[in-house]
Amino acid sequence: MAALILGALAGCSDTSGGKADPTAGATHKAAAPVRLPVPDGFATETGWSTSASPEATDVEPGSSGFPLVAVAPQSALVIQAAADGSRVRAFSLTSGKAVWTFTPKALTSARTGVFVQEGKAGETVVLARLGKTSGSGLTTSRPTTTIDVISADSDSKATAEHHLDLAAPDDTASSFTATDSGFLVGPAIDGVHEKAVAIDAAAGAHRTVQTKPVKVSGCGSGPCTVQASPAFASAEGVVSAFQQQDGCDQWTESGTPCTYGFQVGDAWTSTSVAPSGMHVGIPLAVTGQYLVAAWHTSDTQTDPPALSDTDKTTLVVHDLATGKIKAQVSCTSADALTLQPGSAQSSTRLSPNGDFLISGQAGFDLATGRGHCFTSTASTKGIDLTAVADDGTAYGIVHAVDQTEATSVYGRLPIAQDGTDTAERDSARVSVRTGAAKALPAAAEVPMYLAADGHGVFRTRDVVAVYPAS
């Protein structure tokens, strides 16, 4: 079961009447529920809710931004961080009871993200902050990145199992790139890092990873040497993306095609598992034991790969350890969405029982190996999926293209920052089993996590609410 980060969705309801204190409303238990407009099937008169803060957003595709809420599925906890990183609280998902509180060392001007990762020893909560040390006496303030690792099953007054203090350069902006099994910190461009720090949360260790030459077999003209850049980390190692530059022709359809692919640690390389005739593979996300990739049969590569209505894109679920194809579906989109490494990480989820997987605008039935597209056509809009239940029912936000770069990138859920005035977005319910889709009532919120027992977790700009199934 994959851990989940909950972003505040753009266009969600503002129900608190102003800025909220994310830790207010509960000493021992979260408050009685705010009744958000949600799809039928959830009992909004019961459950619980708590106030939440708007979050800062890193708009770089592939980055994880600065989420302030996450779910620890195995521990059945909702994790919430204060926007300034001054406190983290864990609530029981079902009751709203406050289970533990963690208070880290203070930073100034902190941008904060909270994440949950899974390992052999269980779930860990990662509090990541970009900020400055306070400075005192003869000590000057300096930029820093701090990582605190807390066990999800901590006692009521939690302490960090590991603390890392990473010096941050003054002239570059770092991003957090988190999956449920790996964590990178460093500047990101087009979904990859030239240089980053890979964090091993379980061990409290870190190492530098960077672009490096890699010899790859199976390129269009045979073996080739490429420059592979870290995109995101996984249980099988760092996933690095590359594009062949030499020994191929990017300009003409009759020339030798250039290979665009990826390497998963030391486990496997995309060229060894590529669908027949496909030379372009983009690693979109990882969840649990699966990696999701987009594949093209591209003859010329002068433009970034895109999910468009001119050529079909094959979206594939690979076994993370071996690269074996577990499910696939071919899709087109009238929106011409750019495909970048890690761009669908925020929208990639497994159902609690592991039978279904959603990623971006596609859903997969892992038992049958089939998938369905929920992309746009000339007459229908695409749906960015947010959560999937054990029966294959999934929810999503109707994709709306605006003038921002983020909406032109495939798989990245829209995030509402503090002070934004984003129009409400439509939402939908779909069946991953059949491919059927139905619009929800206007202004309906959609769950960001669905538990096996039917509880749904909803996150707006200033409210976190959990409702049981009705």
Side-chain angles (χ1 to χ4, degrees):
M1 186 187 303
L4 179 68
I5 302 159
L6 303 185
L9 296 181
C12 291
S13 302
D14 181 350
T15 55
S16 70
K19 288 190 176 181
D21 176 357
T23 57
T27 301
H28 302 291
K29 185 175 180 179
V34 172
R35 299 185 66 175
L36 298 174
V38 302
D40 56 33
F42 298 97
T44 58
E45 69 278 5
T46 57
W48 59 275
S49 67
T50 187
S51 56
S53 291
E55 61 197 47
T57 298
D58 184 342
V59 298
E60 180 59 44
S63 79
S64 300
F66 302 94
L68 299 177
V69 180
V71 168
Q74 295 177 9
S75 308
L77 296 175
V78 176
I79 312 296
Q80 185 180 29
D84 62 0
S86 61
R87 183 159 65 168
V88 180
R89 305 191 86 181
F91 297 93
S92 165
L93 191 150
T94 55
S95 71
K97 180 181 178 181
V99 177
W100 54 257
T101 300
F102 171 70
T103 304
K105 183 179 179 180
L107 288 183
T108 61
S109 305
R111 291 193 295 171
T112 302
V114 67
F115 310 89
V116 174
Q117 298 199 320
E118 298 176 358
K120 294 179 180 178
E123 291 176 318
T124 56
V125 176
V126 177
L127 174 67
R129 296 176 294 164
L130 301 175
K132 293 183 178 181
T133 59
S134 58
S136 61
L138 297 177
T139 303
T140 59
S141 175
R142 60 176 175 81
T144 186
T145 299
T146 64
I147 307 292
D148 289 284
V149 181
I150 311 110
S151 173
D153 62 358
S154 291
D155 293 331
S156 59
K157 189 175 181 180
T159 58
E161 293 188 334
H162 305 289
H163 173 83
L164 299 174
D165 190 347
L166 310 174
D170 291 314
D171 57 347
T172 55
S174 289
S175 294
F176 300 140
T177 305
T179 69
D180 57 15
S181 56
F183 200 93
L184 297 181
V185 180
I189 299 175
D190 295 334
V192 297
H193 303 261
E194 182 176 341
K195 185 177 182 179
V197 176
I199 307 295
D200 182 338
H206 67 280
R207 62 188 177 95
T208 298
V209 294
Q210 58 191 358
T211 299
K212 63 180 182 179
V214 174
K215 189 172 183 178
V216 177
S217 61
C219 295
S221 57
C224 63
T225 299
V226 296
Q227 295 293 317
S229 298
F232 50 85
S234 76
E236 294 295 329
V238 173
V239 178
S240 298
F242 59 79
Q243 184 172 6
Q244 182 184 6
Q245 300 289 338
D246 300 317
C248 61
D249 190 345
Q250 301 183 57
W251 305 97
T252 62
E253 295 184 1
S254 59
T256 300
C258 296
T259 297
Y260 189 134
F262 56 93
Q263 186 174 50
V264 180
D266 295 324
W268 53 279
T269 302
S270 59
T271 53
S272 65
V273 300
S276 178
M278 295 192 176
H279 299 283
V280 177
I282 304 98
L284 298 176
V286 63
T287 183
Q289 59 184 332
Y290 303 105
L291 181 144
V292 182
W295 290 93
H296 276 298
T297 54
S298 180
D299 295 312
T300 59
Q301 298 166 1
T302 55
D303 297 319
L307 178 62
S308 67
D309 57 3
T310 56
D311 296 297
K312 282 189 175 181
T313 296
T314 300
L315 298 169
V316 177
V317 179
H318 295 273
D319 182 283
L320 178 60
T322 66
K324 182 179 179 180
I325 294 176
K326 295 295 187 179
Q328 61 183 311
V329 65
S330 292
C331 302
T332 60
S333 171
D335 290 329
L337 301 172
T338 301
L339 298 161
Q340 290 189 345
S343 63
Q345 188 62 54
S346 67
S347 60
T348 299
R349 320 262 195 263
L350 279 169
S351 60
N353 61 8
D355 289 349
F356 300 94
L357 185 151
I358 57 172
S359 183
Q361 298 181 2
F364 302 89
D365 184 333
L366 298 177
T368 65
R370 293 193 296 268
H372 291 284
C373 308
F374 301 99
T375 50
S376 63
T377 68
S379 59
T380 61
K381 298 177 182 179
I383 303 168
D384 296 313
L385 301 176
T386 63
V388 60
D390 283 346
D391 64 355
T393 299
Y395 295 88
I397 305 163
V398 175
H399 188 83
V401 177
D402 55 30
Q403 300 304 311
T404 64
E405 181 182 1
T407 65
S408 66
V409 176
Y410 178 77
R412 186 173 177 87
L413 294 178
I415 302 296
Q417 293 176 276
D418 189 15
T420 61
D421 185 19
T422 308
E424 289 183 346
R425 294 182 184 268
D426 294 325
S427 53
R429 179 192 285 120
V430 309
S431 171
V432 175
R433 286 184 185 274
T434 67
K438 183 179 180 180
L440 293 172
E445 303 290 346
V446 291
M448 299 304 297
Y449 174 72
L450 293 167
D453 64 2
H455 277 80
V457 181
F458 296 80
R459 165 74 156 115
T460 73
R461 185 155 39 195
D462 36 33
V463 172
V464 176
V466 181
Y467 305 123
S470 58

